Amino acid sequence: MPVACVDLVITNGQRFLMVKRKNKPAKGKWCVPGGRVFKKETLIQAVKRKVREETGLKKFKIIKFLAVKEFFSKESEFGPSTHTINSVFVVQASSKEQLIPDGQSSEIRWFSKIDKNWIKYARGILKLAGFK
């Protein structure tokens, strides 16, 4: 059964934030922050929770809803495959705050250009948000 998620394009000027995943799918790859929506949690509540949990940021503003995207993977932390339906939001944050990755990310970093080696899903979302 598909899982509802939020994905975040966290921006600061001409930069965007990426996390390097510790878990499947996309283990060891740079991805946009995001994750599952909890039962009885609104999408906006999920966005706020995921920003705080995955980045440590406290000062941010949700700019807009960007798109609904689907992600399919043959591997998952919870079983043999995954299908997520992702509501993608653009969030503006201050780069002055210290970035603190959660237990699911090994690194967190600001970037200004899309790397052609990143997973297709992340590249597509960043292009939709206007990055090159």
Side-chain angles (χ1 to χ4, degrees), residues 5-6 8 10 17-23 32-38 41 43-60 91 97-108:
C5 293
V6 292
L8 314 169
I10 302 175
L17 199 60
M18 298 286 280
V19 295
K20 188 178 267 189
R21 292 182 53 86
K22 283 186 180 179
N23 303 333
V32 295
R36 294 171 183 247
V37 177
F38 293 154
E41 181 178 53
L43 292 175
I44 297 301
Q45 289 169 334
V47 168
K48 291 176 180 178
R49 177 178 55 81
K50 293 311 292 179
V51 170
R52 290 182 185 111
E53 285 179 358
E54 292 201 21
T55 69
L57 294 170
K58 293 177 179 67
K59 297 178 183 178
F60 57 87
V91 176
E97 285 189 79
Q98 180 182 0
L99 297 173
I100 304 167
D102 68 359
Q104 296 182 38
S105 302
S106 61
E107 292 182 60
I108 186 169

Side-chain angles (χ1 to χ4, degrees), residues 43-130:
L43 292 175
I44 297 301
Q45 289 169 334
V47 168
K48 291 176 180 178
R49 177 178 55 81
K50 293 311 292 179
V51 170
R52 290 182 185 111
E53 285 179 358
E54 292 201 21
T55 69
L57 294 170
K58 293 177 179 67
K59 297 178 183 178
F60 57 87
K61 180 180 178 182
I62 299 171
I63 300 299
K64 67 179 177 177
F65 169 77
L66 188 62
V68 172
K69 297 300 244 177
E70 290 184 282
F71 180 77
F72 298 89
S73 177
K74 293 179 182 176
E75 59 180 4
S76 167
E77 279 299 303
F78 305 105
S81 66
T82 188
H83 173 196
T84 60
I85 299 173
N86 309 295
S87 298
V88 183
F89 290 83
V90 177
V91 176
Q92 185 179 34
S94 169
S95 64
K96 294 178 182 177
E97 285 189 79
Q98 180 182 0
L99 297 173
I100 304 167
D102 68 359
Q104 296 182 38
S105 302
S106 61
E107 292 182 60
I108 186 169
R109 192 182 313 162
W110 291 106
F111 290 90
S112 58
K113 293 184 181 179
I114 298 171
D115 187 315
K116 65 181 179 180
N117 295 314
W118 291 342
I119 64 170
K120 182 178 178 180
Y121 177 80
R123 292 190 324 258
I125 288 174
L126 292 166
K127 286 178 183 176
L128 258 175

